[in-house]
Amino acid sequence: MAEQLTLDLPAREALGRDAFFVAPSNMLALATLDAADTWPSGKLVLIGPAGAGKTHMAQVWAKDRDAVVLAPSTLAEADIPALAARKCVVIEDVDRLSDLPNARATEEALFHLHNLTLAEGGRLLLTARTAPNRWTLTLPDLASRMQGTPVAQIEPPDDMLLTVLLVKQFEDRQLIVPEALITWLVKRMERSAAAVRDIVEALDREALRAGKPISRALAARILDPEA
């Protein structure tokens, strides 16, 4: 059978609270986010590996709090007083700030946003892959404030959460697969949320190219291309 032309279309990801599955690996972090009124100094860093659900948690929190969500790349040109006046602000991927070409200006903007938001009695939520003491910030005042920020950590997923993440990723791509295949994948795949995303993306792409449904044989080839 001739291979089909594949189009690299993004999956439509569900990011509401009803699409978020609470598991032992994320339960404590979610409870900490939900208790924002008790955050010391009104700020928190949410950390976890790529694909662990930081963006999903942050979006849920932002909706509950009517918060604005920003990437570090937008901070240098942002209206910082206007952002602080929103009372609740989310800055994602702060550990990647130093990779930006305007990193110094971005650090200064974050420093002022941090101070103004907390002075307004607001809440500042930051997401990152690592804890603040591992970030390569060059502005000493910002570094000290970040290192003094409480941290909530998302732990690696257990079997239950891996199962739910696989189901969600397949549903986001409108793919129907046998339940037995989900169980088979959980027993053999790398135990990370990022691996879930990569495996489902690869299965979707290869099944579409071959013009065949997703099967255990295809999954085996994806997991071990050398076999």
Side-chain angles (χ1 to χ4, degrees):
M1 180 181 294
E3 292 186 348
Q4 294 188 11
L5 175 66
T6 60
L7 300 177
D8 189 15
L9 299 176
R12 180 174 298 175
E13 187 175 9
L15 289 176
R17 183 178 284 271
D18 58 349
F20 188 83
F21 183 80
V22 180
S25 59
N26 60 35
M27 185 181 301
L28 180 57
L30 183 61
T32 304
L33 260 67
D34 283 342
D37 292 336
T38 68
W39 294 354
S41 302
K43 56 183 179 176
L44 183 75
V45 178
L46 176 64
I47 68 171
K54 299 185 298 295
T55 290
H56 196 158
M57 271 197 194
Q59 291 286 347
V60 169
W61 185 84
K63 184 175 181 180
D64 289 346
R65 292 270 171 170
D66 191 27
V68 59
V69 182
L70 299 169
S73 58
T74 66
L75 281 177
E77 305 298 328
D79 184 341
I80 299 302
L83 288 176
R86 287 289 300 269
K87 297 291 188 180
C88 293
V89 183
V90 179
I91 309 297
E92 294 210 82
D93 302 321
V94 181
D95 55 326
R96 302 183 190 182
L97 187 157
S98 59
D99 297 332
L100 298 174
N102 59 345
R104 182 69 180 195
T106 303
E107 286 190 27
E108 292 174 353
L110 180 55
F111 173 72
H112 293 301
L113 176 62
H114 169 281
N115 292 346
L116 287 174
T117 300
L118 300 188
E120 292 277 353
R123 294 292 180 268
L124 181 64
L125 174 61
L126 310 167
T127 73
R129 293 164 299 177
T130 58
N133 60 0
R134 298 183 62 185
W135 302 350
T136 54
L137 299 173
T138 60
L139 189 64
D141 287 341
L142 176 63
S144 66
R145 282 161 174 75
M146 293 296 97
Q147 291 175 22
T149 302
V151 171
Q153 182 170 358
I154 302 175
E155 303 294 341
D158 55 16
D159 282 3
M160 182 184 298
L161 185 54
L162 281 176
T163 298
V164 171
L165 291 174
L166 281 165
V167 170
K168 180 179 183 299
Q169 285 285 330
F170 282 122
E171 288 180 346
D172 286 345
R173 291 176 175 271
Q174 299 182 335
L175 298 171
I176 299 175
V177 298
E179 182 178 339
L181 178 59
I182 301 288
T183 302
W184 187 89
L185 284 169
V186 168
K187 292 179 179 179
R188 293 164 176 82
M189 64 179 289
E190 175 189 322
R191 305 190 65 78
S192 74
V196 170
R197 180 194 58 224
D198 293 344
I199 289 168
V200 173
E201 180 181 350
L203 286 170
D204 187 13
R205 182 178 61 249
E206 294 304 316
L208 184 57
R209 179 178 292 127
K212 296 180 179 180
I214 294 173
S215 65
R216 181 179 297 184
L218 177 59
R221 291 200 300 273
I222 294 296
L223 291 180
D224 189 2
E226 303 300 325

